[in-house]
Amino acid sequence: RLTLQSAPGHWAVISSPLNDPIAAVNVLTVRSTSQFGVIRNVEITGGYYYGIMFWTDWGNYATTALNVNLAAAAAHYLLENVRIHHTGSSCVKMVMKA
C-alpha cells in the first residue's frame, strides 16, 4: 500500500521537466505490481508525456487475447484533491487493466 500526500497544513508540489523524453517521461509512474494506493492533497506538474501513468506489464504471450487476459496492472488507487497541470500530453494515463 502506498500513500503519497502533503503534510497537514502544507501543499506539496511534485514536478518534472517537460523537455526530457528520457529521464522525465512521467512525473509519477505507478508500476504494475503496485496495488491499493492513495495520492492526495498534492500538485503534479510537468513530465514529457504524463503527470501520472498507471503502468500495465504486458507478457509475451502467444496472442493478443492472452496478453489482455494475463497482463498485470496497477489497481485500486484513489486520487483525491490532486491538481495535475502543464504536462507534455495527458494529465493521467491509464493503460488497459489499470
Side-chain angles (χ1 to χ4, degrees), residues 3-84:
T3 299
L4 178 64
Q5 65 184 22
S6 296
H10 295 271
W11 185 256
V13 177
I14 305 167
S15 64
S16 185
L18 283 167
N19 59 356
D20 190 343
I22 295 172
V25 175
N26 311 311
V27 179
L28 296 175
T29 302
V30 182
R31 301 301 294 191
S32 60
T33 55
S34 181
Q35 305 289 314
F36 298 97
V38 177
I39 302 171
R40 73 164 54 101
N41 300 328
V42 297
E43 185 171 347
I44 296 170
T45 181
Y48 188 79
Y49 287 116
Y50 312 115
I52 302 175
M53 180 176 183
F54 292 91
W55 191 265
T56 296
D57 183 20
W58 296 105
N60 204 9
Y61 303 107
T63 67
T64 301
L66 281 175
N67 274 331
V68 170
N69 288 331
L70 300 176
H76 310 287
Y77 265 77
L78 171 66
L79 276 64
E80 183 177 54
N81 195 26
V82 177
R83 298 176 192 161
I84 307 170

